[in-house]
Amino acid sequence: MSFTAGAQTDATHDAAQNKLATLTTDSAHRVVDGASHAGLILDEQYAKDTSRAILDVVSAVRSGDPLDQ
């Protein structure tokens, strides 16, 4: 899974993150609008999104199901 902080990005960065998500056949790219990198773990609102993404990957690995987009 590619998980991107949405604050302070530009088109080049966004394109690189989208390309990164295509390096595997089972992938998802999620952008957390408004979050900084530090905010992904330090801000309760964004940390919930981060935790959810981690749990989604663990669940997909355990079940063998593909990641939800």
Side-chain angles (χ1 to χ4, degrees):
M1 173 174 304
S2 179
F3 194 68
T4 305
Q8 302 168 334
T9 65
D10 58 33
T12 301
H13 179 263
D14 294 344
Q17 292 297 315
N18 286 330
K19 184 173 182 175
L20 181 64
T22 68
L23 296 178
T24 181
T25 57
D26 182 18
S27 181
H29 180 203
R30 297 182 190 171
V31 178
V32 182
D33 290 328
S36 66
H37 281 104
L40 290 174
I41 58 170
L42 298 176
D43 185 301
E44 184 177 352
Q45 172 188 352
Y46 303 131
K48 288 178 183 179
D49 294 329
T50 303
S51 297
R52 173 74 319 193
I54 293 167
L55 292 172
D56 288 348
V57 170
V58 170
S59 178
V61 169
R62 287 182 174 165
S63 70
D65 293 333
L67 286 166
D68 290 331
Q69 299 297 315

